[in-house]
């Protein structure tokens, strides 16, 4: 019996049932999509398969042999590989690329103290070429970009001869070109008999790369079958349990007064200079492909990375040399890497939500825990964080609920300028709408919102004004009502800014992007 079978898998945490008799069958040489809303049980099921959790009940059979994993090492030996979404957690930043790829071999060869580093470098270079990376094996991980790290983790998994590879949001940090390259790699490995479990909220990608699909809702399998038989709308309907309709963007009004402005902001990482402005209550989007410089802009605006220029907040001029100064002036950043930069993962929801408020929650340097809990519970209720318990540990929350916590810690501060960098990365359709609702509420309060993303449809759904970013520069500013999805792609791909995009059809624009 070839293939991977997870049969009748149950898992509970205390009184909360997370998996209720889940069945998953992955054939050899296929890409199998695992879909579901945040909190549906996908992560728990995959942690069981990867040996990080033990099921309360159920069996795992791989190529005809029943397996019981007591550790991730056991799962790895059985041919299970995992490419995590938060790739920084899987790499050693102070080591080189080839040392990271060879790390597992080093651990596994305790009885062989003499290793041929020359051979390890050669092997690493071969694996890097296999995943389409043309970087030196001697490069330090901390010097690599996010998308390079993603592919390095894949190379590391391939080095262990994994036969069943779990890909968790594999394209979240990749550009369109890099995504196509990854799909080519996946198809090549499929032809060699390697199987993939593909977890993604990008349903168009699921339609493109996946063969079959299993959909979870509330810990139960609600659909399984061929991907080709489902439309995107049907996928969403299975995931949410009802017919899903997109929220139509309502016309918004905002103040004529400029709340936030930067002039001649010099961004050291990109070597570019930008000017932008946001009115009170305005949602301004920055549209750019992966690598356009959006994160570098966000980090410069809050002085996390070196930048020079002038900041203006509510008519007052500032220059900042540190995030502390920018935060004190009323700027906050919801970062792209929420788990790495936005949360204390091992702490509670309460601690994370109140960390910016400690000065108002202390007496004689002691935290007033009752008051802290009341504030946290109020934010949990307002943000609809699930589970609705301030004492819950943040790392156990779904991605969408973690994002709410990152946003929530700023809601009761003096922040007037909210910078969102890829705020819906790795969260599901419902969670996106909840994040959108929070952002609109902040704008309605008169806050200045800057929304940076490579998800262009999101900008058309939520933004009032859109800046086009290409190679670190803001090259065009338009009303969100006056631009189409296709034009956004065209302009962000470096197309002419004279309005000719409207005369290009989809095929021509797709060709322009791919070239």
């Amino acid at each position: 019996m070839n293939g991977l079978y997870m049969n009748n898998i149950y898992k509970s945490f205390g009184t909360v049932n997370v998996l209720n008799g889940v069945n998953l069958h992955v054939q050899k040489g296929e890409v199998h999509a695992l879909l579901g809303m945040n909190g549906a049980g996908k992560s728990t099921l995959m942690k069981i398969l990867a040996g990080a959790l033990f099921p309360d009940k159920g069996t795992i059979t791989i190529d005809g042999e029943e397996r019981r994993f007591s550790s991730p090492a056991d799962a790895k030996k059985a041919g299970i590989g995992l490419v995590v979404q938060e790739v920084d957690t899987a790499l050693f930043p102070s080591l080189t690329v080839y040392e990271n790829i060879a790390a597992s071999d080093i651990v596994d060869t305790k009885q062989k103290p003499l290793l041929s580093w020359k051979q390890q470098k050669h092997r690493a270079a071969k694996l890097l070429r296999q995943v389409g990376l043309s970087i030196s094996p001697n490069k330090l991980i901390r010097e690599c970009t996010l998308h390079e790290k993603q592919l390095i983790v894949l190379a590391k998994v391939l080095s262990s001869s994994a036969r069943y590879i779990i890909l968790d949001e594999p394209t979240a940090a990749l550009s369109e070109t890099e995504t196509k390259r990854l799909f080519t790699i996946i198809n090549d490995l499929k032809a060699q008999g390697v199987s993939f479990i593909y977890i993604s909220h990008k349903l168009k990608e699921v339609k493109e790369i996946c063969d079959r699909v299993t959909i979870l809702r509330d810990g139960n399998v609600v659909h399984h079958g061929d991907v080709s038989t489902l439309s995107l709308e049907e996928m969403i309907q299975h995931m949410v349990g009802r017919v899903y309709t997109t929220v139509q963007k309502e016309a918004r009004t905002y103040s004529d007064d400029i709340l936030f402005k930067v002039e001649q902001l010099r961004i050291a990482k990109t070597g570019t200079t930008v000017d932008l402005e946001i009115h009170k209550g305005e949602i301004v989007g920055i549209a750019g492909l992966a690598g356009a410089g959006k994160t570098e802009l966000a980090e410069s605006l809050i002085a996390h990375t070196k930048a020079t220029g002038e900041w203006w907040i509510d008519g007052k001029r500032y220059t900042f040399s540190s995030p502390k100064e920018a935060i004190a002036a009323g700027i906050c950043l919801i970062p792209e890497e929420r788990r790495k930069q936005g949360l204390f993962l091992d702490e509670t929801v309460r601690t994370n939500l109140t960390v910016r408020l400690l000065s108002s929650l202390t007496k004689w340097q002691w935290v007033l825990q009752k008051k802290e809990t009341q504030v946290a519970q109020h934010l949990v209720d307002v943000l609809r964080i699930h589970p609705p318990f301030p004492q819950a540990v943040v790392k156990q929350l779904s991605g969408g609920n973690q994002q709410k916590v990152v946003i929530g810690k700023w809601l009761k501060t003096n922040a007037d300028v909210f910078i969102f960098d890829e705020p819906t990365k790795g969260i599901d359709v419902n969670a996106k709408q909840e994040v959108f609702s929070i952002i609109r509420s902040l704008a309605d309060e008169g806050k200045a919102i800057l929304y940076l993303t490579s998800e262009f449809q999101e900008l058309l759904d939520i933004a009032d004004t859109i800046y086009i970013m290409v190679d670190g520069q803001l090259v065009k500013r338009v009303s969100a009502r006056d631009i189409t999805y296709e034009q956004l792609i065209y302009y962000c791909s470096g197309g002419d800014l004279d309005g000719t995009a409207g005369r290009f059809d989809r095929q021509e624009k797709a060709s322009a992007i791919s070239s």
Side-chain angles (χ1 to χ4, degrees):
M1 183 173 62
N2 288 330
L4 166 68
Y5 292 82
M6 300 185 76
N7 296 315
N8 204 32
I9 303 295
Y10 284 83
K11 183 65 181 178
S12 299
F13 296 99
T15 60
V16 179
N17 297 324
V18 180
L19 298 174
N20 303 302
V22 169
N23 295 310
L24 175 68
H25 171 214
V26 180
Q27 299 172 353
K28 289 187 71 67
E30 80 161 339
V31 181
H32 194 108
L34 181 62
L35 303 181
M37 310 298 279
N38 283 318
K42 305 186 303 297
S43 295
T44 300
L45 186 66
M46 290 300 96
K47 286 178 182 178
I48 290 172
L49 179 59
L53 287 176
F54 312 113
D56 299 332
K57 182 181 176 183
T59 61
I60 299 174
T61 303
I62 300 177
D63 296 335
E65 183 179 352
E66 186 172 324
R67 301 277 190 163
R68 294 182 64 85
F69 303 143
S70 60
S71 69
D74 288 346
K76 180 181 174 184
K77 289 176 183 176
I80 305 299
L82 171 63
V83 179
V84 296
Q85 179 182 351
E86 305 293 343
V87 291
D88 285 296
T89 64
L91 297 169
F92 300 101
S94 298
L95 298 183
T96 63
V97 172
Y98 83 86
E99 287 171 328
N100 272 270
I101 292 175
S104 297
D105 289 341
I106 295 171
V107 173
D108 293 340
T109 55
K110 295 178 182 178
Q111 307 304 319
K112 301 176 183 178
L114 296 178
L115 295 173
S116 171
W117 292 111
K118 183 177 180 179
Q119 289 180 343
Q120 294 286 10
K121 288 182 183 180
H122 178 75
R123 181 166 174 260
K126 182 178 179 181
L127 287 164
L128 292 173
R129 288 194 297 271
Q130 190 175 357
V131 299
L133 267 184
S134 57
I135 62 174
S136 169
N138 294 310
K139 187 175 183 178
L140 292 175
I141 291 295
R142 64 167 173 257
E143 297 173 352
C144 294
T145 65
L146 194 58
H147 74 84
E148 286 174 342
K149 293 175 185 176
Q150 180 86 45
L151 296 176
I152 290 166
V153 173
L154 178 59
K156 185 177 178 180
V157 168
L158 292 175
S159 74
S160 66
S161 301
R163 304 192 307 277
Y164 298 93
I165 300 176
I166 304 165
L167 298 177
D168 187 3
E169 298 289 347
T171 64
L174 303 184
S175 69
E176 185 168 345
T177 299
E178 292 154 354
T179 296
K180 291 184 180 299
R181 183 187 304 152
L182 175 63
F183 287 178
T184 299
I185 295 165
I186 290 173
N187 285 323
D188 288 344
L189 291 169
K190 268 180 58 180
Q192 300 171 34
V194 177
S195 303
F196 294 89
I197 300 174
Y198 194 95
I199 303 171
S200 179
H201 294 298
K202 298 181 178 181
L203 300 184
K204 289 184 179 179
E205 289 184 359
V206 170
K207 289 284 288 182
E208 180 177 353
I209 192 64
C210 296
D211 303 300
R212 294 192 305 136
V213 60
T214 295
I215 302 177
L216 299 181
R217 187 172 71 243
D218 298 330
N220 299 284
V221 175
V222 294
H223 181 83
H224 62 86
D226 292 341
V227 169
S228 60
T229 64
L230 289 177
S231 67
L232 299 185
E233 293 76 14
E234 288 170 331
M235 286 185 187
I236 294 174
Q237 182 177 346
H238 284 303
M239 289 164 63
V240 302
R242 62 182 185 275
V243 177
Y244 181 79
T245 56
T246 57
V247 177
Q248 293 298 315
K249 181 181 176 183
E250 299 179 359
R252 295 186 66 255
T253 58
Y254 50 86
S255 173
D256 292 332
D257 298 329
I258 295 175
L259 177 56
F260 180 61
K261 178 171 65 172
V262 290
E263 294 180 338
Q264 293 298 293
L265 181 73
R266 180 72 177 175
I267 305 171
K269 281 189 175 182
T270 59
T272 54
T273 302
V274 303
D275 297 90
L276 67 85
E277 63 183 34
I278 310 174
H279 297 79
K280 290 182 179 179
E282 184 181 18
I283 302 174
V284 170
I286 304 290
L289 301 175
K294 301 185 299 297
T295 294
E296 290 79 2
L297 170 61
E299 292 179 344
S300 295
L301 288 172
I302 202 166
H304 177 67
T305 55
K306 185 178 180 182
T308 58
E310 294 183 349
W311 288 254
W312 295 81
I313 303 176
D314 209 11
K316 185 176 180 181
R317 179 183 175 276
Y318 295 87
T319 57
F320 300 131
S321 59
S322 70
K324 182 178 179 180
E325 295 175 359
I327 291 169
I331 304 175
C332 70
L333 170 64
I334 290 80
E336 177 181 7
E337 296 300 305
R338 57 177 172 268
R339 291 172 62 90
K340 182 181 178 182
Q341 299 174 310
L343 295 166
F344 298 108
L345 287 174
D346 292 320
E347 298 294 336
T348 63
V349 171
R350 179 183 67 187
T351 297
N352 277 272
L353 284 174
T354 60
V355 67
R356 304 299 316 174
L357 307 171
L358 289 180
S359 61
S360 64
L361 299 174
T362 55
K363 185 175 182 181
W364 299 317
Q365 297 185 340
W366 290 92
V367 177
L368 303 174
Q369 292 190 356
K370 183 177 180 180
K371 186 176 181 181
E372 182 190 27
T373 300
Q374 289 174 342
V375 171
Q377 186 65 64
H378 172 71
L379 288 169
V380 165
D381 294 340
V382 168
L383 296 168
R384 298 180 183 178
I385 294 171
H386 183 79
F389 310 124
Q391 65 271 26
V393 178
V394 163
K395 68 180 178 183
Q396 296 176 348
L397 272 58
S398 67
N401 285 293
Q402 288 179 355
Q403 188 70 306
K404 292 179 191 178
V405 174
V406 179
I407 299 170
K409 70 182 180 183
W410 297 104
L411 296 186
K412 290 187 175 294
T413 67
N414 70 334
D416 288 317
V417 181
F418 284 74
I419 302 171
F420 293 85
D421 187 8
E422 300 284 1
T424 64
K425 176 182 172 182
I427 66 176
D428 63 48
V429 177
N430 267 6
K432 285 183 182 182
Q433 293 304 325
E434 290 177 333
V435 169
F436 285 175
S437 179
I438 295 168
I439 292 173
R440 291 189 183 101
S441 295
L442 289 168
D444 290 342
E445 293 173 13
K447 308 296 186 182
I449 309 296
L450 187 64
Y451 191 104
L452 304 96
T453 185
S454 54
E455 298 288 344
F456 299 145
Q457 187 57 53
E458 291 183 7
L459 289 184
L460 297 174
D461 290 341
I462 196 169
D464 303 306
T465 304
I466 297 175
Y467 283 94
I468 308 295
M469 173 168 267
V470 179
D471 296 332
Q473 295 181 315
L474 300 180
V475 297
K476 189 177 183 70
R477 175 187 168 104
V478 296
S479 168
R481 296 185 191 179
D482 297 334
I483 194 166
T484 66
Y485 179 83
E486 289 79 14
Q487 286 173 322
L488 275 180
I489 295 176
Y490 176 74
Y491 290 138
C492 288
S493 301
D496 294 336
L497 303 176
D498 59 3
T500 58
R503 295 199 298 269
F504 282 154
D505 63 21
R506 293 175 184 268
Q507 185 175 356
E508 288 173 319
K509 281 175 281 191
S511 176
I513 295 166
S514 62
S515 62

